[in-house]
Structures are given as structure tokens and as C-alpha cells.
Amino acid sequence: MGGSTVKILWAVGTALLLYALVLPILSPVQAALAGVVTLLVVLWTNEGLPLGVVSLLPIVLFPALHILPTKMTTVNYAHPIIYLFLGGFMLAIAVEKSGLHIWIARKMLGIFPATGRGIIISLAVTSGVMSSILSNTTTALLLMTIALFLSDDPRLKMRFTLAIAYGASIGGILTPIGTPPNLILLGVMEEHGMAMIPFVQWMWMVAPLALVMIVVISVVLAVGIKDVRLALPEEEKPLSGDQKKLLALLGGLVVLLLVNAPIRPWWEGLGMSEPVILLSAGLLLFAPPFNLLIWQEDKAKIPYRIMFLFGAGFAIAKAFSETGLAGRVAEFLVDYSYLTPLYLMLIVAALITFTTEITSNTALISIMLPVIYAVAQQTGLDATLFMMVATICSSYAFMLPIATPPNAIAMSSGVIPIRTMALYGLLFNLVGIILIVLIAYLFWRPVLG
């Protein structure tokens, strides 16, 4: 029996077992949803089927099991947030194709000393800054090749790759477009008619957290590293015409996103929004005067499987709300509502952080945000605050390769033992939980309230 068959059977068996266990306490439809979500999560985790295939299964299983009608399921695969990320993918492809990422990385690496400690700090900062604009997955992929050529010392390579992976996860929270869970949060907020967090306000809120976390991981990863001088990647070359055009487009895009908040009412009156802005920037790359992307050549580089994953996440969130399962789970969590908001926040942060270690952060946050919203509705807690804490925590899981895409990319380099990642990751998980809760309670709560 092939490995894939065993993985699929394991996923089906686990789903059926959970269905049988929860059927006495849930309605048949709710139990079926719990079983389907279990099937999806196990298949996402053990890779029994390709990620894109698993992500399309809700379109088949939800109508078949009377969880959601076909139309109500498929509409989630055309959510506006997905097109925001599609524009981001196009920009990332152009950056890689033009080689602009090498120029950006070298500029940022050149700010710090060319020593072991300096390179660790520069890689973490570079990765964090780039992942706030590009996806954290793209950032980790683009920088990993640079890090592996900076030194032949296995210990340095290991710490360099961890600096990139952790920096990408940390920096991914800096903007709403930096990582998939951020986009799912915006989608769920839009679905429930909640006030959206403007681009600039989001950055202002999370910047202190990201800065402190970057400092922490840089200092810890640099412990015991000698100040060995290292060579920077290849001699700097003048920017090509294509690189200059792309840099100008990225600069204009960043400025437009930053000023979008003050002019939002007027801007949206013209039918514009952040998904439209990002997608427009991506589509411009195919047209004069840019001509940086060619559809026949570059369409295969667009990770449609990730877009399908977003669609599955939104479909799961919709199913939790429509079937009432979010409310049922919330009833169990309401039992802890006697605790203060600080302790409740700590429970949510720890639960999300460590659960993310064993499953997809995108899938987990898709499941938990509707539950947290329902709990907040029943207890009078600030839904936006608790959903924000959960979303950030889903990106701040550092122990295992399957926790986040940057972790998986770092592990694929072949220079990091799982035990080493787990030990560093446990420390950073605990630091992250404490910092997120403190900053949320002392800073975000007054701002959002």
C-alpha cells in the first residue's frame, strides 16, 4: 500500500472517529462539519493529497453532506481578499524575475557589520521588512539562497536560515497583506460587518511587537557566534531599467497604501479598495511601460494552490457560522468568561500558538476566528481585540516545520535539526505569547476600544 494511500486512509479514519465522538453532543450537520474539517487539517498536515486538491474538497463535501449549498461554498473562493493576495503574488514574481530582491537584500545587509552577529541581525531585519510587503513565504524563499552562500560553517548556516524564517514570520504581521492569517481576519471582519482596521493603524499597532521580537530572536540566535568576517553576496551592480521601473511601482504602491486610510471614504466612493489597488499593481506588470511579466511564461508561477487554501479557509469560517458550530464551541469557552480579559487573552494566545505548531496556521485561524467572535458576542468582550490576538499568535509559532511556511522553507534547507528548531522555537513561542498579550492589553485595547 503506497504512502499516500495510508495518509489518506489515516485522515479519513481520524475524521470518522471524531464524527462519531461528537455526534452525541452536536447536530448531524455540525458533526459532519467537524469531521470534514478534521479530514482537511490531517490531509493538509500529512500531505496525503496536494495542498490545492485538499483545499478544493469543501466544494464537493459541503454540499454533499448538506453543510453548505454549492453557491454559498464556492463564493468564498472569490473573496476580495484572495485577489488582494493575487496582486501580491504577481509583484513577488516580478521582484524575483528581475533580481530586485538581491539588490534590496544587499542594501539592507550593508547597513550592518559583516560579522556573524551582524549578518544574523541584518537577515532578520531584512526578512521582516520584506515580508511586510511581500508574503512571508516569498520572502523566505528569496532570501534563503543568499543566506546559504554567506558561510560554509554549518552552525552559522543554521542560525542564518532560522533568522530568515523567524524574521519573515515576525515581519509578516506588520501589514495586513504580509501573511494569510491577516487576510483571513480582514475577511471575517468584513463578513460580520465589523469596522476594518486601516492600513496605517494596523502598522502602528503591531510595529512595537515586531521590533521587540526581531531584537529578541537576533540576540538569542547570535549567542556564542564569533565575530567572523563574512563576504556579502556578489558585487553590487547598477539597477537595470526593469528594476528601476519595478522599484518605482513598489514605491508608489506603498505610498498609496499608506495614504489610503485618510482618503478611504472618498477612495471607496470611486469603487477602489485595497484588493483593487494590489490587483491593479499586479496587472500593470503585464502592460506597457512595465512589460515585466508575460502571461504565457509567468502564469505557472502564481501559487493558485494558496489561493484555493484561502478559499477553503473562508468556506470553513462560513460553515462554522451557518451551521451554528461556532456558537456551540463558544458555549464551552463561555464557561471561562468569569476570568478577567487579561487571563482570557493569555488562554487564547497560548491555545492558538501551540495548536498552530501541529496544523496549518491558515486553517486554524479560519476555524477559530468565528468561534472567538461568537464568544465575544455572548460575553461582551471586544471581538476585534481577541481576534487580532489570535491572528498574530497564529503567525508566531516557531517550533515545528509545519507551523508556518517560513519554518518549512528553513527546514527544507537541510541545515537545521528539528530538535534545534524546537528548542529555539519553544523559547520564542513563550516570549511571543507574553509580548502579544501585554501589548494587546496595554496598547491595542485602548486603541481599538
Side-chain angles (χ1 to χ4, degrees), residues 362-440:
T362 303
L364 177 67
I365 209 65
S366 299
I367 296 168
M368 289 305 299
L369 286 185
V371 173
I372 293 171
Y373 177 82
V375 171
Q377 292 297 103
Q378 294 186 36
T379 59
L381 295 171
D382 187 335
T384 303
L385 177 64
F386 277 80
M387 290 166 67
M388 185 80 173
V389 168
T391 300
I392 301 303
C393 285
S394 72
S395 291
Y396 277 26
F398 305 105
M399 289 179 63
L400 298 176
I402 61 173
T404 63
N407 285 13
I409 292 167
M411 185 59 62
S412 69
S413 68
V415 299
I416 305 175
I418 292 182
R419 175 181 171 82
T420 300
M421 178 178 279
L423 289 175
Y424 276 118
L426 176 60
L427 172 61
F428 297 144
N429 276 8
L430 296 175
V431 171
I433 290 170
I434 293 171
L435 286 176
I436 290 169
V437 171
L438 287 178
I439 289 176

Side-chain angles (χ1 to χ4, degrees), residues 69-121:
T70 303
K71 186 175 182 178
M72 191 177 291
T73 303
T74 55
V75 72
N76 294 284
Y77 290 79
H79 197 286
I81 299 299
I82 293 176
Y83 292 96
L84 182 150
F85 220 55
L86 175 59
F89 283 140
M90 292 176 178
L91 290 168
I93 292 168
V95 168
E96 181 180 11
K97 185 176 182 179
S98 67
L100 184 60
H101 65 290
I102 301 293
W103 181 86
I104 295 173
R106 199 183 195 288
K107 284 292 183 183
M108 299 199 69
L109 289 173
I111 298 174
F112 299 90
T115 62
R117 291 188 179 94
I119 294 298
I120 287 174
I121 296 172

Side-chain angles (χ1 to χ4, degrees), residues 224-242:
I225 294 295
K226 297 179 181 179
D227 288 330
V228 180
R229 303 293 298 183
L230 299 169
L232 290 174
E234 67 181 39
E235 289 299 321
E236 185 174 354
K237 300 176 182 177
L239 286 173
S240 67
D242 285 347

Side-chain angles (χ1 to χ4, degrees), residues 87-244:
F89 283 140
M90 292 176 178
L91 290 168
I93 292 168
V95 168
E96 181 180 11
K97 185 176 182 179
S98 67
L100 184 60
H101 65 290
I102 301 293
W103 181 86
I104 295 173
R106 199 183 195 288
K107 284 292 183 183
M108 299 199 69
L109 289 173
I111 298 174
F112 299 90
T115 62
R117 291 188 179 94
I119 294 298
I120 287 174
I121 296 172
S122 63
L123 286 173
V125 171
T126 302
S127 182
V129 172
M130 288 181 65
S131 66
S132 68
I133 301 173
L134 306 175
S135 75
N136 56 8
T137 304
T138 301
T139 298
L141 286 169
L142 296 180
L143 292 181
M144 202 62 68
T145 53
I146 298 173
L148 294 175
F149 284 100
L150 288 173
S151 172
D152 293 326
D153 186 336
R155 292 177 67 249
L156 285 178
K157 283 189 175 185
M158 179 268 293
R159 299 192 190 206
F160 291 168
T161 53
L162 283 178
I164 289 173
Y166 293 161
S169 292
I170 291 169
I173 69 160
L174 270 171
T175 65
I177 64 173
T179 187
N182 297 2
L183 300 174
I184 291 173
L185 170 63
L186 296 181
V188 172
M189 291 177 69
E190 185 177 59
E191 181 73 24
H192 290 288
M194 302 169 65
M196 303 296 283
I197 303 174
F199 202 93
V200 174
Q201 181 180 322
W202 179 295
M203 293 182 66
W204 178 58
M205 288 171 57
V206 302
L209 171 64
L211 177 61
V212 174
M213 283 297 297
I214 287 287
V215 171
V216 169
I217 69 161
S218 298
V219 169
V220 172
L221 289 175
V223 170
I225 294 295
K226 297 179 181 179
D227 288 330
V228 180
R229 303 293 298 183
L230 299 169
L232 290 174
E234 67 181 39
E235 289 299 321
E236 185 174 354
K237 300 176 182 177
L239 286 173
S240 67
D242 285 347
Q243 289 174 331
K244 290 179 180 178

Side-chain angles (χ1 to χ4, degrees), residues 15-61:
L16 291 174
L17 176 61
L18 184 73
Y19 172 79
L21 290 175
V22 301
L23 188 57
I25 58 175
L26 298 176
S27 71
V29 173
Q30 292 171 344
L33 174 58
V36 170
V37 170
T38 302
L39 175 69
L40 298 176
V41 170
V42 174
L43 287 176
W44 274 323
T45 305
N46 68 13
E47 298 180 346
L49 288 171
L51 184 146
V53 173
V54 179
S55 301
L56 290 172
L57 287 178
I59 297 176
V60 177
L61 296 178

